[in-house]
Amino acid sequence: MASEIHPSAQIDPGARIGANVRIGAFTVIGADVEIGDGTWIGSHCSVTGTTRIGRDNRIVGHAAIGGDPQDKKYHGEHTTLEIGDRNTIREFVTINRGTGDGGSITRIGDDNWLLAYVHIAHDCIVGNGCVFSNNATLAGHVVVGDQVILSGFAGVHQFCRIGAHAFIGMGAFVNGDVPPFLMVAQEKYARARGINSEGLKRRGFDATRIAAIKRAYRTLYMGETKLDEAKVELAEIAAGSEDVRAFLDFIERGERPLLR
């Protein structure tokens, strides 16, 4: 089947476009780009440099693929990016080419899911079947095995390796090698640090309302009171405060453990 290219897309004559490729509006494809059969590229994307993309990939709008490495040691030498088959690359993903002294290639395997705002830096090697959640980031020269999951906002330091089937938890910052099969999580999750007093004042909450909310906060988060006991005390405060009633209702409707 013939490829379907939007009239506003800019395709360099030197680019090699396979069969049944779709390219959306205002997307730019450079001269040294090769796109395999059946790949779909959305609007406002850029695919530049010496970049080879395989078959049946789906690249959603505003992705920047094959750009220069973000490395001061790069001085324009010829480097490449290779992306395999059947990958899903979502909004605003950035994937950079390699560097001359770092192997000269960035390589992405097959069947990966790269969700919005993922960044894969220069000279990274990513295996097959991985899932990188929103805002996950690889610094340069990272090697990731097959079937790895990076949760949202996870970050991996340069030159680290992550073994196959590892799971990196939300917001974890990895600065060493992770062996295969491991689960890695940050040491501490977020904890309550008081109420948003300044924000409440800006939204017109008066001193009486804020005082009731502070009392509710102290009941729930300060001291050693168990949750069931704290909810009894909150119900008493809520009798005179609609804000605390909303606070308590929120807790009662929860399906996940309360951040406490």
Side-chain angles (χ1 to χ4, degrees):
M1 296 178 62
S3 295
E4 180 181 332
I5 299 173
H6 193 277
S8 65
Q10 298 182 29
I11 313 298
D12 191 281
R16 288 165 289 175
I17 309 297
N20 197 28
V21 170
R22 294 175 58 194
I23 299 175
F26 303 106
T27 283
V28 176
I29 307 294
D32 295 323
V33 172
E34 179 179 344
I35 301 173
D37 297 350
T39 287
W40 183 92
I41 301 177
S43 65
H44 296 89
C45 294
S46 64
V47 185
T48 56
T50 303
T51 297
R52 299 182 182 91
I53 299 174
R55 301 173 59 98
D56 299 316
N57 294 282
R58 184 169 184 264
I59 302 173
V60 180
H62 299 275
I65 309 298
D68 289 349
Q70 299 176 50
D71 188 324
K72 289 183 177 180
K73 299 186 297 298
Y74 177 74
H75 297 294
E77 57 270 23
H78 181 266
T79 60
T80 62
L81 166 65
E82 292 186 359
I83 297 175
D85 303 332
R86 300 177 303 278
N87 296 285
T88 296
I89 299 173
R90 294 301 303 253
E91 298 86 349
F92 296 97
V93 168
T94 54
I95 308 175
N96 296 153
R97 303 191 316 278
T99 57
D101 60 355
S104 299
I105 187 169
T106 302
R107 182 180 292 117
I108 312 296
D110 304 328
D111 301 300
N112 298 290
W113 277 65
L114 310 179
L115 303 188
Y117 291 95
V118 162
H119 174 65
I120 297 177
H122 57 87
D123 304 294
C124 287
I125 306 297
V126 177
N128 306 311
C130 297
V131 177
F132 291 4
S133 294
N134 302 73
N135 293 95
T137 297
L138 303 184
H141 311 278
V142 170
V143 178
V144 178
D146 296 340
Q147 305 291 333
V148 168
I149 294 177
L150 263 63
S151 301
F153 296 92
V156 184
H157 194 274
Q158 60 188 11
F159 294 101
C160 289
R161 298 174 301 144
I162 299 179
H165 304 282
F167 181 100
I168 310 300
M170 181 182 66
F173 298 121
V174 176
N175 63 356
D177 288 351
V178 177
F181 315 116
L182 263 61
M183 177 178 289
V184 174
Q186 61 181 354
E187 183 179 354
K188 298 287 186 182
Y189 285 101
R191 289 291 179 263
R193 295 290 186 264
I195 71 168
N196 183 18
S197 298
E198 189 60 35
L200 295 177
K201 290 176 184 176
R202 291 174 181 174
R203 296 175 183 91
F205 284 62
D206 62 24
T208 300
R209 293 178 70 184
I210 293 174
I213 295 168
K214 284 183 177 179
R215 184 181 170 195
Y217 173 83
R218 288 194 298 268
T219 298
L220 187 61
Y221 287 102
M222 300 179 69
E224 302 297 330
T225 307
K226 294 181 179 180
L227 180 58
D228 288 343
E229 297 170 350
K231 288 196 290 187
V232 172
E233 295 185 35
L234 289 173
E236 295 175 358
I237 304 170
S241 170
E242 290 296 322
D243 299 316
V244 177
R245 168 49 59 191
F247 188 84
L248 181 58
D249 288 346
F250 177 90
I251 295 169
E252 297 284 14
R253 293 195 301 270
E255 297 180 1
R256 292 277 296 168
L258 183 67
L259 192 154
R260 195 169 184 232

